[in-house]
Amino acid sequence: MASLFKKKTVDDIIKEQTKELRGTQRQITRDRAALEKQEKQMEMEIKKMAKSGNREACKILAKQLVQLRKQKNRTYAVSSKVTSMSTQTKVMNSQMKMAGAMSTTAKTMQAVNKKMDPQKTLQTMQDFQKENMKMGMTEDMINDTLDEIFVESGDEEESQDIVNQVLDEIGIEISGKMVRAPAAGKSLPTASPKRKTQISDDEIERQLRALGVD
C-alpha cells in the first residue's frame, strides 16, 4: 500500500513514458503491416477488375489505394516522431541529472570554501614544506654519519686483513729461507779460525822496565 502513495521520481516518470512510447511504436508497426497487406489485396482486386473490363470499379479502388498509401506513409512519419520523442526524453533526463550533479558539486564547493581559510591553508602548507626539508636534512646527516662509521670500520678491518696477509707471506718466506739455510751453508767455504795470542808475565815485566817503571 505504501508503494501506491509513494511520490514518483523523475526516473520513474521517464521509464513509464519510455514504456508507453515503445508500445506506441509497436502498434504503429502492426498498423503499417496491416495496411501493406490491405494494399496488396487492393492491387490484386484492381487487376481483377481491369481484366474483367469494369473501369468504374477500377477508378473507385484506385482512389482507395491512393488514400491507403497516404495513410501508410503517415505511419512512417508518426513512427519517426515517436522515436524522436523517446530520444529527446532520454536527453532531457541526462541533462537534468547533469544539472543536479553540478548543483550538488557547487553546494559542496561553496561549503568547503566557507570553512577553508586561505591564509591558514597557505601557512599550513609552508610549515609542512619547512618541516619536510628539516626531516630530509636530518636524515641526510644521519646517513652521512652512519656511512662514515661503517666506512672507517670497514677500512680498519680491510687494513688489518692486508697486514695479516703480508705478515703471513713474510712468515712463509722466512720459514722457507730458514729451511734452505743449512744446505746453502754446506756449499760455502769455512772460515779459518783465528790464532789466539797470549802475552806472558815475563814479556809484560820486560816492557815495563824498558819504560823505566820498576
Side-chain angles (χ1 to χ4, degrees):
M1 292 295 293
S3 60
L4 296 176
F5 299 99
K6 184 180 178 181
K7 187 177 179 180
K8 293 182 179 180
T9 62
V10 177
D11 290 337
D12 295 335
I13 296 173
I14 291 175
K15 286 180 181 179
E16 291 181 358
Q17 291 179 351
T18 304
K19 184 177 180 181
E20 291 178 1
L21 291 173
R22 283 200 299 264
T24 303
Q25 192 72 268
R26 288 193 295 268
Q27 184 61 43
I28 293 172
T29 302
R30 286 194 294 267
D31 293 343
R32 187 186 304 119
L35 290 173
E36 289 176 351
K37 183 178 180 181
Q38 188 177 354
E39 180 184 5
K40 291 179 180 179
Q41 291 176 353
M42 193 171 292
E43 288 175 353
M44 292 175 64
E45 189 67 21
I46 291 171
K47 290 178 182 180
K48 183 178 179 181
M49 292 298 168
K51 287 180 180 180
S52 63
N54 191 347
R55 295 175 61 83
E56 195 65 26
C58 288
K59 288 181 181 180
I60 296 172
L61 291 173
K63 289 180 180 180
Q64 292 179 358
L65 181 60
V66 171
Q67 295 297 323
L68 189 145
R69 287 178 177 176
K70 288 182 179 180
Q71 187 177 356
K72 186 184 73 171
N73 291 334
R74 280 195 294 270
T75 61
Y76 287 107
V78 173
S79 178
S80 177
K81 186 65 176 178
V82 171
T83 303
S84 177
M85 290 173 60
S86 178
T87 303
Q88 187 176 3
T89 302
K90 293 178 180 179
V91 171
M92 290 178 63
N93 185 30
S94 299
Q95 291 177 349
M96 289 177 61
K97 289 182 178 180
M98 185 182 297
M102 292 175 66
S103 176
T104 303
T105 304
K107 290 179 181 179
T108 303
M109 293 175 65
Q110 185 178 5
V112 172
N113 288 329
K114 286 182 179 180
K115 294 183 178 181
M116 181 182 293
D117 186 359
Q119 296 295 332
K120 187 176 181 180
T121 303
L122 179 60
Q123 184 64 37
T124 302
M125 294 176 66
Q126 290 177 350
D127 292 341
F128 172 79
Q129 185 177 7
K130 182 170 64 176
E131 296 301 326
N132 191 27
M133 290 178 63
K134 287 183 179 179
M135 183 177 294
M137 293 174 64
T138 303
E139 184 178 359
D140 291 339
M141 292 174 63
I142 293 174
N143 290 334
D144 292 341
T145 304
L146 292 175
D147 290 341
E148 290 178 1
I149 293 173
F150 289 124
V151 167
E152 290 179 358
S153 177
D155 290 345
E156 184 177 356
E157 292 179 359
E158 186 176 358
S159 300
Q160 187 63 37
D161 291 339
I162 293 174
V163 171
N164 292 335
Q165 182 179 356
V166 172
L167 291 176
D168 290 340
E169 291 177 356
I170 293 174
I172 293 173
E173 184 176 356
I174 291 175
S175 299
K177 288 182 177 180
M178 291 178 66
V179 172
R180 293 192 301 269
K186 292 179 180 180
S187 60
L188 294 176
T190 57
S192 59
K194 293 183 179 180
R195 189 174 57 182
K196 295 182 180 179
T197 305
Q198 185 177 1
I199 302 174
S200 62
D201 295 337
D202 295 337
E203 183 64 24
I204 293 173
E205 291 178 358
R206 187 183 64 78
Q207 290 180 4
L208 288 174
R209 284 195 299 270
L211 292 174
V213 180
D214 293 336

